[in-house]
Amino acid sequence: MDTISQQWGKGMDITDWRINPAYVDYTGFPKTMIIYGGNEMFAGTIHLMVKKIEDAGVELNVYKGEIHCHDWALVQLLPEAKEMLEIICEFVS
């Protein structure tokens, strides 16, 4: 997160909600789904965002692709991505 803050956030504080979703006020958010890969650069901080969402009382579904990278659920060559697409469609409908 320090690297992201320095490069993308132009030195912004990593607790700034504009670059770190773990610091957004989730009060009043609708039912939410988070899908992430265990090998993506944000994997280490996603638990902060999940806790914040849960603490706000938001209904939350979380799915982690243990060995996957960011956006793994979009790679339709993976059987588990095909399963995730079905879960996403069910969530949205």
Side-chain angles (χ1 to χ4, degrees), residues 21-84:
Y23 296 94
V24 171
D25 178 5
Y26 291 98
T27 305
F29 261 54
K31 181 177 176 182
T32 301
M33 176 184 281
I34 296 174
I35 304 164
Y36 71 102
N39 287 324
E40 68 171 85
M41 67 179 169
F42 301 113
T45 59
I46 288 178
H47 69 281
L48 296 171
M49 181 175 64
V50 167
K51 181 174 179 359
K52 185 105 179 192
I53 293 170
E54 290 174 340
D55 288 349
V58 175
E59 186 178 345
L60 179 63
N61 297 319
V62 180
Y63 299 92
K64 177 182 178 184
E66 292 294 331
I67 62 169
H68 300 88
C69 63
H70 189 75
D71 287 341
W72 66 270
L74 301 177
V75 182
Q76 292 301 295
L77 297 174
L78 300 172
E80 56 271 36
K82 291 177 183 178
E83 291 174 30
M84 185 53 59

